[in-house]
Amino acid sequence: MNEFDVIRRISGILPDQPPEVLVPVGDDCAVVRLGGEPWLAASDMLISGYHFGAWATPEEVGYKAVAVNVSDVAAMGGTPRFVLLSGGAPDPETTLRCMEGALEACRELGVYPLGGDTTRADALTVDASILGGLTPGMQPVLRSGARPGDLLAVTGELGASAAGFLALEAGRRGEAERLVRRHLRPEPRVEAGRAAAAAGVRAMIDLSDGLASDVRHLCESSGVGCRIELDRLPVAEDTRFFAGSEGREPEVLAATGGEDYELLLAAPEGVLRQMTGACEVPVSVVGEITAHREVEFLRGGEVRSPLSGWDHFPAEE
Amino acid sequence: MNEFDVIRRISGILPDQPPEVLVPVGDDCAVVRLGGEPWLAASDMLISGYHFGAWATPEEVGYKAVAVNVSDVAAMGGTPRFVLLSGGAPDPETTLRCMEGALEACRELGVYPLGGDTTRADALTVDASILGGLTPGMQPVLRSGARPGDLLAVTGELGASAAGFLALEAGRRGEAERLVRRHLRPEPRVEAGRAAAAAGVRAMIDLSDGLASDVRHLCESSGVGCRIELDRLPVAEDTRFFAGSEGREPEVLAATGGEDYELLLAAPEGVLRQMTGACEVPVSVVGEITAHREVEFLRGGEVRSPLSGWDHFPAEE
């Protein structure tokens, strides 16, 4: 049983769905009607030793917990509004520092903390829940709308966060400050997500587990496949250089590393052009949606599969 | 620095409060206007080794995580509606069992799970966030409305959960099944909370840290004091018997033990009578609100203070 099996098993034993629930568990956010308006809801938990090592300060952990939740709202085309924050640590000073980082993220990302819980824990643990709104008249962008012929595109850059993680793990933080910052302080693509929703992008997901894993979720939800060209992934020079210095193939790291918190989207070319014109962050076409249900990564015309992303409970263990 | 210091420090560095936030952090729930309606929001985290021992099954932990959040909504006079559930455990089977318990609580307590997160963790950890609604036209009951002369009353019974905890810790589960059940499967007082709101109860809080600690929160928020008679605490016979067998004074255990998830309320006598007539759970008067800002526990006319409840980061450590 792996993480996705757990989620599938849970999804099979849910109570009856009330009429206010417009999109249940299974997408980046659920969509629920509150006071007659659609709201987005999600949560994400970070735990020391699994999501970060001793190299992360409590403030950085708190910041990231809020940012990754904001990214879930961005991936639906929404506007992040409110969070609840639960934090546990071995001592109250660490809890306070973690919450200070979380509140810094709240200020920077424009969300307001409604409350939460603090407790003692052996491992620094933080869980954030988020509520996001939708622009009136706008539909949330789900994972399930991709159609054969749509282009696949990503915002920003891939692999920088994974390279930053390698730098942190190798004790090379000082050599790769930009990459480390990409890992510890993700910049959720709220503006790009809203532009995607406004343009009519057909499917969207945020890249948390890694492109190779997340594109599979999008394709499975949509009942399609895809072809991605590794050479088209937007990988920055410093990412390439650092990946190489750690003996990693940059494009493979970019496809599998995870935690980019960029958006992956599927849309017809015209829609994509409209979205690209309406947002500041660059958008790169990396492949296309196909009718056969396979996810293929190509390099120089050759199929280079399988690649896979992050799984919290990998099957081999 | 203790848990309440952490919360105070956090409260001092919050971002600017948006106009939709009607009641910020600091009560059982925040109150926020969503789609023009007031909604209640809260979260609570449970961690193995701190909130429960090896005696709790993962299902029991999941159940309780949902129930204690429902209790926060009950304490505002609201109706629990939706939860988000994040769970971490050393293996996916344990995560799944914890989520199964949480979903059982969702079905029994009438809340719908919108989503969440699962991950790997050394210690079984579960965090639940809840959204609750209010009956149209009804105001949420805060902690801050108590006035001198109000009666103080509690729903149900006190100390049974603490006695159940003693039984679990002592390996005497089989001798005290009802008490253990009170500890592991709290019955949040949703109906009583709504009846309290409808009758116009002035202040309310749920008993999670223990009467001695929670009454202090209510009094501090209201700028009042109180006098509680230990002999009036509703303590069941089996709680008395078991507490005695563990060398504990039953009324002191009832006042300090915590995790009762009953409601403590302050109201004029007529309001209290109206509420009592409208709900099934018994309500017992245990004392009264006073003008001087002290919390006094009396026994046979003698002051018996200080008593204190649970603190996750006690100052002496």
Side-chain angles (χ1 to χ4, degrees), chain B residues 31-78:
Chain B
V31 186
V32 59
R33 199 183 295 280
L34 302 173
E37 286 178 1
W39 283 81
L40 308 167
S43 70
D44 269 304
M45 186 185 258
L46 304 184
I47 299 184
S48 179
Y50 294 98
H51 298 90
F52 53 92
W55 34 256
T57 67
E59 289 87 349
E60 287 164 344
V61 173
Y63 188 99
K64 189 164 175 175
V66 171
V68 303
N69 274 280
V70 167
S71 181
D72 280 323
V73 169
M76 306 289 284

